[in-house]
Amino acid sequence: MDNTKKSQKADINKDLKKMLIWAIVISVAFVVGIPILILGAVNSIWALLAFGIACVVIGFYGAPIIWVQYGSNRTLKRVVDAVMEEHITTNAEIAQQLQIRERDAKAFITKAINKKYITGYIYNGVELIPNEKEAPKKKIVVQNKCKNCGAPLKLDEKGNYHCPYCNSIFEKE
């Protein structure tokens, strides 16, 4: 797997992990907020009561929202994996593979492109086409010694490395 794919996969996994942590924290806040609220009310500790109320309200309203968002982002990850790893490139194929509607596949692809989880493709609304105009990722290796005799190499007019002693030619990688 090349570095770009690893980076994109790491980005989406990192975002999913953060969202999962927040979803768990907010869910726990709801559960913990109830006894805190009761303790604050029974003992007339207004700060504890207010903190308990805040935890319950945030958990009650926030937990469902963040869990739904987390589920949506899990589907987004599945779409990115389908494109980048399985090379499935049409809305219909992605929808069929992931068992979602085509319009949802289109929305997920658009979102993944906007977040730069999917790169190297041009999206026309129906399918992803490899971007031929994208600058190739060049791997530049500087060779300064001949692999055969150890002599210093010189660059010739064709852009290849040439050994002046043993006449070996090495292509630029």
Side-chain angles (χ1 to χ4, degrees):
M1 190 183 304
D2 68 347
N3 288 338
T4 305
K5 283 185 182 178
K6 285 181 185 175
S7 173
Q8 291 162 337
K9 194 168 184 94
D11 288 346
I12 195 165
N13 286 337
K14 187 172 71 171
D15 291 347
L16 271 173
K17 188 175 182 178
K18 276 194 259 183
M19 186 163 285
L20 176 63
I21 290 169
W22 274 110
I24 291 170
V25 166
I26 290 174
S27 297
V28 168
F30 176 65
V31 174
V32 170
I34 294 170
I36 290 175
L37 185 149
I38 293 169
L39 284 173
V42 168
N43 296 322
S44 298
I45 304 172
W46 303 112
L48 200 57
L49 177 64
F51 180 71
I53 290 171
C55 286
V56 169
V57 169
I58 289 170
F60 184 80
Y61 291 106
I65 293 169
I66 199 159
W67 280 111
V68 167
Q69 187 65 39
Y70 175 74
S72 176
N73 282 356
R74 291 282 302 178
T75 305
L76 177 66
K77 181 186 182 314
R78 290 175 58 215
V79 169
V80 170
D81 288 345
V83 171
M84 300 304 286
E85 292 179 13
E86 299 170 32
H87 307 292
I88 300 172
T89 57
T90 67
N91 293 348
E93 291 172 336
I94 291 170
Q96 183 178 9
Q97 178 75 13
L98 303 178
Q99 298 178 353
I100 58 176
R101 293 180 291 214
E102 278 191 49
R103 71 172 192 234
D104 293 339
K106 181 178 180 178
F108 282 120
I109 292 168
T110 303
K111 184 176 181 180
I113 290 170
N114 290 339
K115 288 186 167 251
K116 304 222 184 306
Y117 294 147
I118 296 176
T119 58
Y121 290 94
I122 297 171
Y123 186 54
N124 63 13
V126 177
E127 71 177 323
L128 290 155
I129 303 163
N131 186 357
E132 301 296 330
K133 295 180 182 179
E134 183 178 52
K137 318 274 190 286
K138 292 184 181 177
K139 184 170 99 176
I140 299 173
V141 177
V142 177
Q143 297 177 347
N144 54 7
K145 289 186 179 180
C146 177
K147 294 177 184 175
N148 297 326
C149 68
L153 296 175
K154 298 198 180 206
L155 197 59
D156 65 14
E157 64 278 349
K158 294 180 184 175
N160 296 324
Y161 290 101
H162 177 263
C163 178
Y165 296 99
C166 70
N167 290 325
S168 297
I169 297 174
F170 302 98
E171 288 184 12
K172 239 183 180 179
E173 293 182 4

